[in-house]
Amino acid sequence: MVTGASATQAISGFGFALIAVPLLSLFIEPQTAVVLATVVGAFSSTFQAITDRRYAQRNLVQRLAVTAYIGMPFGLIVFLVVSESVLRFIVGVVVLIAAVALMRGFSIAHTNKKIDWIMGWASGVLATSTSTNGPPLVFLLQAKKLNPESFRASINVVFSLTSFGAILLFAVTGNITRDDFAGIGISIPMLLLGLAIGFKVRTRINAEQFRILVFALLIGSALSALVAAVVA
């Protein structure tokens, strides 16, 4: 599951936690799955951020990273207090609406910075509450019509910068255990394999295929969240 999740992120720029968390939750506690996906996902995002950094939209990345950090403490409160099923249902509905809006041609001007702050903050909240902080960023970057290279680079730089803040918050609140480190150690080789596969595949995907893949992942993540909320 880690191999598939990391390959997906290498191809599309996101999707690691969207795939890994639901699958990991079948075998371990949901909160443990969130922590494990956050830590392992940080390695994947950082590797891709460094590899593709020349394509990143720096000013946009800075705004998103700063506001994500502002949102993280709120997300941690949600992580500790709010019912996971309720949160996943809300996330699923919102992501599904966003996916439909994008498919119908919704766009955001590059000069519109207010929405950058909002989506960055929402990403931070989701980072520490569900580990699925991608949807707000995907919605924003797709609505701004970024090309695949800029999309992947920008979103992974944000993921990399913010994942370490999320890990720190989990650590200081005692939500990272020795068992988590064992899981991380086992996952890293599988993650590297997935990255190698993903980097090879993405060179064969054009802009339109990339766009379809992004929509498919958004809709898939929304449905996954809704199903998880219902069966929880």
Side-chain angles (χ1 to χ4, degrees), residues 15-43:
F16 183 87
L18 294 176
I19 295 173
V21 171
L23 293 177
L24 287 171
S25 297
L26 297 175
F27 305 99
I28 58 179
E29 291 294 324
Q31 287 189 332
T32 302
V34 168
V35 172
L36 186 61
T38 300
V39 176
V40 177
F43 287 93

Side-chain angles (χ1 to χ4, degrees), residues 37-129:
T38 300
V39 176
V40 177
F43 287 93
S44 176
S45 298
T46 301
F47 180 85
Q48 293 180 73
I50 293 172
T51 302
D52 299 329
R53 62 188 180 279
R54 65 186 180 278
Y55 300 113
Q57 302 286 317
R58 293 188 178 182
N59 291 334
L60 176 60
V61 164
Q62 290 172 357
R63 289 193 293 274
L64 294 174
V66 168
T67 48
Y69 269 95
I70 295 172
M72 284 181 190
F74 295 93
L76 185 60
I77 294 172
V78 172
F79 177 77
L80 298 172
V81 175
V82 177
S83 166
E84 183 186 6
S85 60
V86 172
L87 182 60
R88 289 199 179 279
F89 181 80
I90 294 172
V91 170
V93 171
V94 172
V95 172
L96 191 58
I97 293 172
V100 172
L102 288 173
M103 292 174 69
R104 293 178 63 86
F106 180 82
S107 63
I108 298 172
H110 283 273
T111 55
N112 187 342
K113 295 182 175 60
K114 291 181 180 179
I115 193 69
D116 298 350
W117 299 109
I118 295 171
M119 292 296 105
W121 182 85
S123 176
V125 172
L126 291 177
T128 47
S129 59

